[in-house]
Amino acid sequence: MHRISNAVRLLLLLIALGAFPAGAAPLQAQWEFRLLPGDAQGAAHPGLQQWRAATVPGSVHTDLLAHELIRDPYVGAPEAELQWIGLADWEYRARFDVDAASLAKAHAELRFDGLDTYAEVTLNGKPLLRADNAHRTWHARVEGRLRAKGNELQIVFRSPIRTLLPGVQAMPHRIAGNYPSPYGDEPKDAMVGNFARKPAYHFGWDWGPRYVTAGVWRGVDLQAWDAHRLTDVAVRTDSLDAENAKLAVVLQVEQDAVAAPIAVDVEVRDPDGRSVARVQRTVELKPGRNSVDVPVELAKPRRWWPVGHGAQDRYTVQARLDGSADPVLAREQRIGLRTVELRREQDDKGGQGFAFVINGVPIFAKGANVIPFDAFPARVDAARLRQVLVAARDANMNMLRNWGGGYYEDDAFFDIADELGLLVWQDFMFGGGMQPGYDPAFRASVVAEARDNVRRLRHHPSIVLWCGNNEEETAWKDWGHGRDLKSADPAFAAKVWQGYVDLFGNDLRQVVSEDGLGVPYWSSSPSNDLDEKANDSTRGDKHYWQVWGNPALPVQAYLRETPRFMSEYGLQAWPAVATVDQIATRAEQRIDSPVIRAHQKFMAGEGNTRLLHYIELGYGTPKDFEDFVYLSQVMQADGIALAALHHRASRPYTMGSLYWQLNDVWPGASWSSVDYFGRWKALHYAARRFFAPVAVAALRDEGSTRVRLINDGAALDARWRLRVMDVEGKVLRRREQAVTLAAAGVTDIGTYADAELLAGADPARTVAVFELLQDGKVTARQVVGFVEAKDQVLPRQQLTSTLAIDGDHYRLRLHSAALVRAAWIDFGALDVQVEDNLLDLLPGETRDIAVRGPVDLAALREALKVKTLNDR
């Protein structure tokens, strides 16, 4: 069996040089690592105290894997046996030389973009810094401490569990954590994750493994300069419309102990590379930090728009000091010109809207939540980010929410989002539970972390919201976290809540206000920004988990929940069997096998019972594991389509629908629509239809179907058609008429009772087909059944398929003699892209599907499988 370890090793790529700040050079060093001599884990793991080559950026897990000292963390069920790594202390060292030109400079600094997490750094045998926050950038001045040859940088990483556990255990009453470890590496009643400023998901989540990492997870660079250096460039938009843009280019300049005049040169180039503005002036610098504002005005600016609403034009701003091209004196920034508003208008029923307005235009947000792309962030490269973000754009998404339990993504993520026109809702990195905001040192560390990342990312036009945290307010108010602590210790509970308000209500809001260049701030998700009720359908954003979560309502309940903005909802599914093959042998592929349970993190491994519950409600009992995978994906796609179309059809009351989740952190069961290897699940193909600019929402509930036509763009003339037909193709009723679709809105066609549509026909053998036609072609369709899929009487073996070469791709032709539901095209492990999938075919219909990939026709024909609900 092909094992994932080969794929993992191929993903051990360095962060692109573009991730480093302008004016800094990645440290050219030879890195090594070892288990810290004397560590308690040494007895059980002999030989690890010797130095071995390390990869930086990276982590101890990936370094151990590269030397084949541990099993692949993703294959089989190795998680329990690898928890010792998070309990150990590790040491890294780098040996490097420094060129004569850098040594001759008056000033020098080492910059660490990511130390995970409790790190003691020495340079040439002397202490340099102590770090305690993986999300921060750490700076250390090193002038006078460098030598031409043989510099040695040493970093000792202390176990976060062993570092924090004594303090947590000493607390008379503990604040709520997230997911307790099932492996015994930390007590279940004394979780340390909420006290550590490192990615929360490293301590385990309900979609990913528990691997408590350590290491230099982002780059290290060295910068040297003389009298002054340019440390930051930001572009503030003071006013912007179609006619004029008034900007301020704000330069941060560090000057040494002597005041001096300096020449400043700012140039702006348009999206075509032409110079459209240039300002030159001389300014007087005082010793220390200086902020220099350079006003710039542009006529007829080309604004940046979210995808589907206009072009993603971007300008380039270049700033130089002293006319120099020296990297410490020059910076270049790519920006997009746009205005952002979070519009929260009161309605006449006491509710309050929640809509993103870009350049004055309200945008219905269509998209998904993003989690980390790997348990080990340093092995995520720009190509992998692009693959998933392009998939989001291709599924007609225009917004992604970067969830708060991971890490702040590299600039590459946001560069791609800028290019593709994807709006980004960016959480600060707090994933749940409660934080020790009552601790001044903790708050100060978070504020420094926030400033580092807001300043690093603020030039990206894709970022349209900074959000304080994920689910902490609702956990306190609605899940019993606050109630339980108040019952145990009212005074401490009041202190904890005040710390929460101080941190998320005040501190982070102030950082975004001062440094966020006008992007709005929201204190938590879901919330109404610290209003009394946290998870409210009439105000603020909503997380809805009564479907799938507790009390596990049927998917039709989505139609009875109408929020102002749905920022989380979801249904699980397993990834394709080809992905499961990467982690489990075919003999291990059983719903209850240890390996499959190990890759099902919901309900601590019991999540397949919940998944089976939803499958059996609508589709019956799976015949085998392959059928279980197929039906899980069909169920997920159908259920999320129901919810998303309901949200879109509720515009403008509802102005956003972000399902949980877009991507995966490892191969396993989850709520994702794109799996760890980039394979599209059925949900992602469905999303391309239910998020399409023009769509039909024919939503059946409690014996009637309400039909609405959705249009994201300008008003358009079309025709809509209804056909009621039996599964063999006999049309029992037909209606067709002209319609003008409202601009950026919803056109209500009407509500049809089952009795009216069926007129006595057998509901198990009849469907209603609602379609939208433009220029005589069907551009949107929805097939509505009158019974659950498991109760439909569908003719068997009605689908034929042929494969042929068609120019630069292959053409798969499907033809159905009768109604076919949920046809899933599968080429196994072959590296091919299928144009469309998860198809309903009407009686007599033929569909041509493009298939692309470096595979010959014979292999393609041999691998082809098409599963349908008819075959069950």
Side-chain angles (χ1 to χ4, degrees):
M1 183 183 71
H2 172 69
R3 288 293 192 179
I4 189 177
S5 54
N6 292 331
V8 167
R9 291 189 181 96
L10 290 174
L11 288 171
L12 293 174
L13 300 174
L14 296 177
I15 300 299
L17 294 185
F20 290 91
L27 190 68
Q28 301 300 310
Q30 299 295 319
W31 286 90
E32 297 176 301
F33 83 110
R34 67 178 177 178
L35 183 69
L36 188 68
D39 186 271
Q41 297 296 325
H45 305 279
L48 290 183
Q49 282 122 343
Q50 68 185 64
W51 290 106
R52 290 177 169 85
T55 298
V56 170
S59 74
V60 66
H61 286 77
T62 51
D63 285 331
L64 289 168
L65 178 62
H67 288 281
E68 299 184 342
L69 295 169
I70 60 172
R71 285 205 287 156
D72 191 304
Y74 290 179
V75 176
E79 203 171 338
E81 70 190 57
L82 299 180
Q83 294 309 307
W84 66 271
I85 300 171
L87 292 171
D89 294 341
W90 298 90
E91 185 176 13
Y92 280 71
R93 73 180 180 190
R95 293 191 171 118
F96 63 99
D97 300 332
V98 180
D99 63 84
S102 296
L103 283 174
K105 300 286 188 182
H107 308 285
E109 179 181 87
L110 277 171
R111 170 178 167 139
F112 303 86
D113 286 334
L115 297 174
D116 180 16
T117 295
Y118 294 93
E120 301 156 12
V121 185
T122 62
L123 176 64
N124 294 328
K126 294 183 179 180
L128 188 64
L129 65 85
R130 296 175 71 95
D132 62 359
N133 187 327
H135 302 300
R136 285 183 62 177
T137 300
W138 297 91
H139 305 261
R141 297 293 287 265
V142 293
E143 56 261 31
R145 300 184 59 174
L146 297 171
R147 50 196 183 219
K149 299 290 184 181
N151 293 280
E152 185 167 286
L153 185 68
Q154 289 184 294
I155 309 174
V156 172
F157 291 98
R158 302 293 181 181
S159 162
I161 298 172
R162 287 166 49 194
T163 298
L164 293 170
L165 188 57
V168 175
Q169 288 181 312
M171 297 173 66
H173 300 288
R174 290 155 195 165
I175 58 176
N178 292 308
Y179 292 94
S181 174
Y183 303 115
D185 55 317
E186 119 185 321
K188 292 185 178 182
D189 64 345
M191 292 178 279
V192 305
N194 285 24
F195 298 85
R197 292 312 299 145
K198 75 180 263 100
Y201 79 104
H202 286 169
F203 294 91
W205 220 264
D206 61 0
W207 35 253
R210 178 184 175 91
Y211 289 126
V212 182
T213 59
V216 186
W217 76 281
R218 277 186 169 151
V220 181
D221 61 85
L222 175 65
Q223 186 179 74
W225 69 99
D226 281 320
H228 42 249
R229 63 171 172 168
L230 181 59
T231 60
D232 191 31
V233 173
V235 181
R236 188 181 70 239
T237 301
D238 292 328
S239 67
L240 174 66
D241 57 29
E243 299 301 319
N244 186 265
K246 293 184 178 180
L247 312 174
V249 181
V250 184
L251 283 58
Q252 301 299 323
V253 184
E254 186 176 321
Q255 174 70 17
D256 65 11
V258 179
I262 191 171
V264 173
D265 185 346
V266 171
E267 183 180 18
V268 180
R269 298 191 296 273
D270 72 8
D272 299 319
R274 297 172 298 195
S275 180
V276 290
R278 188 169 185 181
V279 179
Q280 296 174 302
R281 62 174 55 179
T282 299
V283 299
E284 189 75 20
L285 296 181
K286 66 180 188 299
R289 297 178 179 176
N290 296 260
S291 184
V292 178
D293 283 27
V294 179
V296 174
E297 193 163 348
L298 304 176
K300 300 288 185 182
R302 292 159 64 175
R303 290 175 289 180
W304 182 94
W305 291 90
V307 61
H309 293 268
Q312 288 74 57
D313 285 323
R314 287 178 289 167
Y315 288 76
T316 301
V317 177
Q318 185 182 73
R320 294 174 183 261
L321 305 181
D322 294 333
S324 174
D326 186 331
V328 300
L329 300 175
R331 283 207 175 199
E332 191 169 275
Q333 200 79 278
R334 205 166 184 198
I335 65 167
L337 302 179
R338 54 94 180 96
T339 60
V340 182
E341 175 192 355
L342 180 58
R343 185 169 294 172
R344 303 189 60 224
E345 294 177 333
Q346 296 282 349
D347 62 31
D348 56 6
K349 296 181 180 179
Q352 190 173 29
F354 190 102
F356 289 93
V357 180
I358 309 299
N359 298 327
V361 177
I363 306 294
F364 188 100
K366 305 178 296 185
N369 290 260
V370 174
I371 64 169
F373 289 77
D374 205 290
F376 313 111
R379 63 185 189 182
V380 179
D381 68 338
R384 191 157 156 204
L385 295 173
R386 177 172 292 278
Q387 178 189 35
V388 178
L389 267 61
V390 167
R393 189 275 313 273
D394 289 350
N396 291 306
M397 297 183 186
N398 61 21
M399 176 175 275
L400 301 174
R401 173 180 173 240
N402 270 343
W403 168 79
Y407 52 87
Y408 304 93
E409 288 285 353
D410 286 333
D411 280 88
F413 178 99
F414 300 95
D415 287 337
I416 297 165
D418 294 346
E419 173 195 333
L420 299 177
L422 295 171
L423 304 173
V424 177
W425 166 319
Q426 180 63 52
D427 283 1
F428 286 100
M429 289 301 113
F430 297 90
M434 183 52 72
Q435 310 300 322
Y438 50 82
D439 178 359
F442 183 90
R443 281 177 55 198
S445 180
V446 171
V447 167
E449 161 197 323
R451 288 200 191 279
D452 282 349
N453 287 285
V454 171
R455 289 173 176 173
R456 174 173 69 91
L457 299 172
R458 61 185 170 182
H459 64 281
H460 291 285
S462 53
I463 297 178
V464 294
L465 186 72
W466 286 95
C467 179
N469 65 70
N470 172 77
E471 294 186 342
E472 294 198 2
E473 183 182 351
T474 191
W476 181 266
K477 293 179 176 179
D478 304 325
W479 301 357
H481 291 186
R483 179 199 63 224
D484 295 346
L485 193 56
K486 289 174 187 175
S487 176
D489 189 338
F492 183 52
K495 182 179 178 180
V496 170
W497 178 246
Q498 185 58 52
Y500 176 94
V501 173
D502 290 341
L503 179 58
F504 297 109
N506 301 324
D507 293 348
L508 295 181
R509 192 185 308 275
Q510 182 175 348
V511 170
V512 174
S513 175
E514 292 173 352
D515 292 331
L517 300 178
V519 170
Y521 174 78
W522 190 245
S523 62
S524 183
S525 179
S527 80
N528 194 33
D529 206 17
L530 285 170
D531 203 351
E532 182 177 352
K533 192 173 180 181
N535 197 14
D536 188 351
S537 294
T538 67
R539 304 164 67 88
D541 71 309
K542 178 80 173 181
H543 291 193
Y544 183 71
W545 288 104
Q546 280 69 41
V547 175
W548 180 264
N550 292 318
L553 298 176
V555 295
Q556 288 76 17
Y558 282 135
L559 301 178
R560 301 157 205 160
E561 178 62 42
T562 308
R564 306 313 296 252
F565 190 107
M566 188 69 91
S567 46
E568 276 193 27
Y569 63 102
L571 291 164
Q572 240 198 29
W574 273 84
V577 171
T579 291
V580 180
D581 284 341
Q582 301 288 84
I583 59 173
T585 66
R586 286 298 174 100
E588 293 168 330
Q589 292 180 26
R590 308 184 316 273
I591 292 176
D592 60 350
S593 81
V595 170
I596 294 301
R597 286 173 56 85
H599 288 260
Q600 168 58 276
K601 293 299 180 182
F602 182 66
M603 294 170 57
E606 298 292 337
N608 282 340
T609 60
R610 181 65 53 84
L611 187 49
L612 195 58
H613 165 74
Y614 275 93
I615 291 171
E616 290 181 336
L617 276 179
Y619 305 90
T621 301
K623 296 179 293 187
D624 52 29
F625 186 79
E626 185 174 345
D627 198 37
F628 172 67
V629 168
Y630 165 69
L631 291 179
S632 75
Q633 292 204 20
V634 175
M635 179 278 298
Q636 181 191 40
D638 286 350
I640 298 303
L642 195 69
L645 287 170
H646 169 61
H647 301 152
R648 294 188 68 195
S650 300
R651 180 177 183 165
Y653 184 90
T654 302
M655 284 299 291
S657 182
L658 309 180
Y659 64 74
W660 186 271
Q661 66 209 57
L662 176 64
N663 61 310
D664 270 336
V665 73
W666 77 329
S670 82
W671 297 260
S672 73
S673 61
V674 177
D675 78 16
Y676 177 78
F677 294 110
R679 295 185 174 104
W680 289 24
K681 292 182 182 176
L683 170 57
H684 210 76
Y685 288 99
R688 188 160 58 188
R689 293 189 283 270
F690 63 65
F691 281 152
V694 175
V696 175
L699 306 176
R700 179 180 176 273
D701 187 28
E702 297 182 330
S704 65
T705 300
R706 185 177 180 186
V707 183
R708 285 161 289 183
L709 306 178
I710 300 164
N711 177 28
D712 286 343
L716 61 87
D717 293 327
R719 300 186 67 82
W720 74 271
R721 179 169 69 192
L722 161 65
R723 288 179 289 169
V724 180
M725 65 177 66
D726 68 18
V727 296
E728 303 292 347
K730 181 181 179 181
V731 176
L732 309 176
R733 178 181 174 185
R734 179 188 179 105
R735 181 180 176 187
E736 182 176 330
Q737 67 184 61
V739 63
T740 298
L741 273 63
V746 178
T747 303
D748 199 335
I749 296 300
T751 301
Y752 298 85
D754 286 358
E756 177 186 359
L757 292 172
L758 288 168
D762 182 354
R765 297 181 55 84
T766 308
V767 294
V769 182
F770 295 91
E771 295 171 313
L772 190 70
L773 296 88
Q774 295 173 263
D775 299 324
K777 296 181 179 179
V778 175
T779 55
R781 172 193 289 170
Q782 198 166 357
V783 178
V784 177
F786 296 97
V787 296
E788 296 288 355
K790 65 182 179 182
D791 298 320
Q792 278 191 314
V793 179
L794 296 172
R796 294 177 61 83
Q797 299 177 338
Q798 294 298 311
L799 194 65
T800 59
S801 61
T802 57
L803 266 167
I805 297 173
D806 188 1
D808 63 350
H809 62 275
Y810 299 106
R811 182 190 70 244
L812 172 63
R813 174 162 292 172
L814 299 178
H815 177 77
S816 175
L819 176 67
V820 167
R821 300 299 306 271
W824 179 250
I825 303 161
D826 187 5
F827 290 100
L830 293 184
D831 183 21
V832 296
Q833 294 79 48
V834 181
E835 177 187 27
D836 202 1
N837 217 330
L838 193 69
L839 306 170
D840 289 340
L841 281 84
L842 300 182
E845 185 174 14
T846 298
R847 290 286 304 273
D848 285 344
I849 310 295
V851 180
R852 293 179 169 85
V855 182
D856 64 53
L857 183 58
L860 208 61
R861 285 172 171 163
E862 183 178 356
L864 173 64
K865 291 182 181 178
V866 183
K867 289 183 67 71
T868 75
L869 292 179
N870 300 55
D871 301 327
R872 304 197 67 256

